[in-house]
Amino acid sequence: MEASGTVADLHEHGLLRDTTTFVHANGISDEELRMLADADASLSISPDVELKVGFGSPVTGRALAAGLCPTLSIDDVPSVGGDMFSTMRTAFAVQRGLDGGLHTDDLTVFPVTDPVGTIVSGDHPGLVDTVLVVGRVVKRDGVLLGVDLPALRTRRTITLLEQQMSIWGRRWRSARPNRKLRGMPASRRSGP
């Protein structure tokens, strides 16, 4: 069966490149995934968002089978949070479900047979020791570097208080009687 779709069209016109990243590729065929792999293109999977908005099951296993090494993305922090461990757990759990669940010969959450699965299943961002961003260390020994957390917390608290005061101020102003109506006879305040 011949593949058809966006990836196949790009392939046909010689436009697939190693500099191209496809995101939310849930609807593409296995043949198109192989086309991406052959072109050294990359694929990013956002399992939490893809499941939440109904794009279908993430293509993690199919992408790996096609020869791709997909990356994981959060995509929409307000919608699903900014925790990559949660994103990894979603991808892990969905793929295990698609593969038929846990097999007794593959205890993916037991450190002896799969330490990566154990980390994905049980860890959280607070346990991350070191983080590099574009080669620059931004977290070392579990401590953020170059960030004044007390000042940041103070700024955030002030911002939240200002937002709350603004909301309550608008509510108070809208609940106050209109000053122009105070001197009017009651018969005229209600309008026509």
Side-chain angles (χ1 to χ4, degrees), residues 48-49 52-53 74-83:
D48 298 297
V49 168
K52 188 173 187 175
V53 300
I74 292 170
D75 185 33
D76 183 20
V77 174
S79 175
V80 297
D83 175 5

Side-chain angles (χ1 to χ4, degrees), residues 26 47-57:
N26 307 63
D48 298 297
V49 168
E50 291 167 1
L51 291 166
K52 188 173 187 175
V53 300
F55 289 169
S57 294

Side-chain angles (χ1 to χ4, degrees), residues 14-42:
L15 297 173
L16 288 181
R17 303 271 187 273
D18 61 351
T19 56
T20 305
T21 300
F22 285 80
V23 181
H24 307 308
N26 307 63
I28 69 174
S29 68
D30 291 345
E31 178 61 28
E32 288 179 302
L33 288 170
R34 283 189 287 281
M35 289 175 190
L36 293 177
D38 291 344
D40 289 327
S42 57

